[in-house]
């Protein structure tokens, strides 16, 4: 077993990541009183992004690890002990192939082309896409700056492309997947799956193999 994989396994089994998490929690209940559920959820995501700080583990090449243990409180009726329960979305498998091919900027461009033809409900849907993607850009900016500061040059270089512009190789594809899981967790999504990882990752794996990546690096 590769040393980094072994260290990662031991770290996860020991739940060492929990010791690095901040237990503070932003209370948004009064600020959100009277707003729609959609607006509440969007603002919670924006606040969750604002509350996060970049976290790297000692063996970590990818980043996008949770800093805050729990998401902001938005319910006026209950103070849930965790970030999910009635305010969460579960069992999610996204379209990884499209994400890796187009990136968030490409998906946003699709939304912008459809906006003028949409009805009011559709325009509201696209409006929230823009806000969520703006928050995602802030996440990327934070981690790019942190990667540069920590000397993680490979990650910093990858983040100049992904997740905004789509992946060009195996490492960038993995960074993009790690990012989207991090972002989805900040939006109270749980039970995330990788879907058919072998199928959508293979083109990027093949590019890197042709570029000289060996088995140990992969």
């Amino acid at each position: 077993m590769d040393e980094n994989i072994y260290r990662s396994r031991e770290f996860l089994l020991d739940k060492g990541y929990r010791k690095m998490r901040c237990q503070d929690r932003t209370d948004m209940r009064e600020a959100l009183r009277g707003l729609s559920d959609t607006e509440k959820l969007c603002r919670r995501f924006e606040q969750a992004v604002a509350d996060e700080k970049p976290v790297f583990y000692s063996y970590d090449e990818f980043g996008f690890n949770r800093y805050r243990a729990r998401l902001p409180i938005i319910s006026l009726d209950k103070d849930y002990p965790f970030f999910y329960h009635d305010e969460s979305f579960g069992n999610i498998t996204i379209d990884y192939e499209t994400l890796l091919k187009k990136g968030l900027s490409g998906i946003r461009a699709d939304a912008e082309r459809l906006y003028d033809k949409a009805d009011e409900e559709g325009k509201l849907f696209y409006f929230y896409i823009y806000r969520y993607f703006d928050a995602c850009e802030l996440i990327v900016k934070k981690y790019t700056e942190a990667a540069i500061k920590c000397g993680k040059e490979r990650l910093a270089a990858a983040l100049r492309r992904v997740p905004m512009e789509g992946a060009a190789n195996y490492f960038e594809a993995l960074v993009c997947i790690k990012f989207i899981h991090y972002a989805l967790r900040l939006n109270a999504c749980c039970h995330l799956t990788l879907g058919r990882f072998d199928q959508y990752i293979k083109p990027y794996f093949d590019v890197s193999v042709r570029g000289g990546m060996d088995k140990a690096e992969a």
Side-chain angles (χ1 to χ4, degrees):
M1 183 183 293
D2 176 86
E3 181 181 352
N4 280 347
I5 296 175
Y6 178 80
R7 291 168 63 192
S8 174
R9 178 179 179 273
E10 292 301 304
F11 183 76
L12 293 172
L13 289 175
D14 188 47
K15 294 182 170 47
Y17 58 91
R18 292 187 177 180
K19 302 171 186 177
M20 302 176 67
R21 288 183 176 175
C22 171
Q23 297 299 319
D24 294 343
R25 194 176 186 194
T26 303
D27 189 338
M28 303 181 68
R29 288 176 290 188
E30 288 303 319
L32 299 181
R33 186 182 293 275
L35 299 180
S36 69
D37 289 344
T38 304
E39 182 66 21
K40 287 179 182 179
L41 293 174
C42 185
R43 291 199 188 188
R44 178 177 62 181
F45 181 69
E46 292 169 339
Q47 184 62 51
V49 169
D51 288 343
E52 284 289 293
K53 295 180 181 179
V55 174
F56 294 105
Y57 304 144
S58 59
Y59 57 84
D60 195 355
E61 293 189 57
F62 298 100
F64 299 113
N65 304 299
R66 289 282 295 278
Y67 169 69
R68 290 268 179 120
R70 298 183 293 175
L71 297 182
I73 305 169
I74 64 173
S75 173
L76 292 171
D77 302 316
K78 299 177 182 178
D79 182 4
Y80 296 115
F82 303 107
F83 71 88
Y84 43 94
H85 297 294
D86 290 351
E87 298 170 1
S88 70
F89 315 91
N91 299 320
I92 294 170
T93 305
I94 69 163
D95 183 353
Y96 293 100
E97 185 176 3
T98 296
L99 174 67
L100 295 176
K101 181 179 179 180
K102 293 187 174 184
L104 295 184
S105 293
I107 297 171
R108 179 170 183 155
D110 289 343
E112 289 173 347
R113 284 192 292 270
L114 294 168
Y115 182 86
D116 289 338
K117 298 178 181 179
D119 58 18
E120 290 305 309
E121 183 178 5
K123 287 181 178 179
L124 185 63
F125 172 76
Y126 295 130
F127 166 76
Y128 279 107
I129 284 181
Y130 305 153
R131 283 179 58 181
Y132 275 98
F133 282 16
D134 285 345
C136 285
E137 286 194 74
L138 179 57
I139 296 173
V140 176
K141 181 179 179 181
K142 284 185 178 184
Y143 264 95
T144 302
E145 292 173 351
I148 293 171
K149 185 176 181 179
C150 295
K152 296 182 180 295
E153 297 178 1
R154 188 181 190 188
L155 177 60
L159 291 175
R160 294 188 183 100
R161 174 186 292 272
V162 294
M164 306 313 298
E165 304 303 328
N169 56 46
Y170 185 54
F171 181 71
E172 289 182 357
L174 296 178
V175 171
C176 192
I177 293 168
K178 185 72 186 294
F179 159 81
I180 200 63
H181 277 216
Y182 174 80
L184 288 168
R185 295 288 284 183
L186 291 183
N187 197 37
C189 297
C190 55
H191 304 298
L192 304 173
T193 83
L194 286 170
R196 288 304 305 269
F197 179 83
D198 57 329
Q199 292 186 1
Y200 60 74
I201 205 68
K202 191 174 187 303
Y204 305 95
F205 178 85
D206 290 343
V207 165
S208 290
V209 169
R210 290 195 295 271
M213 180 180 72
D214 60 20
K215 183 178 179 180
E217 182 184 357

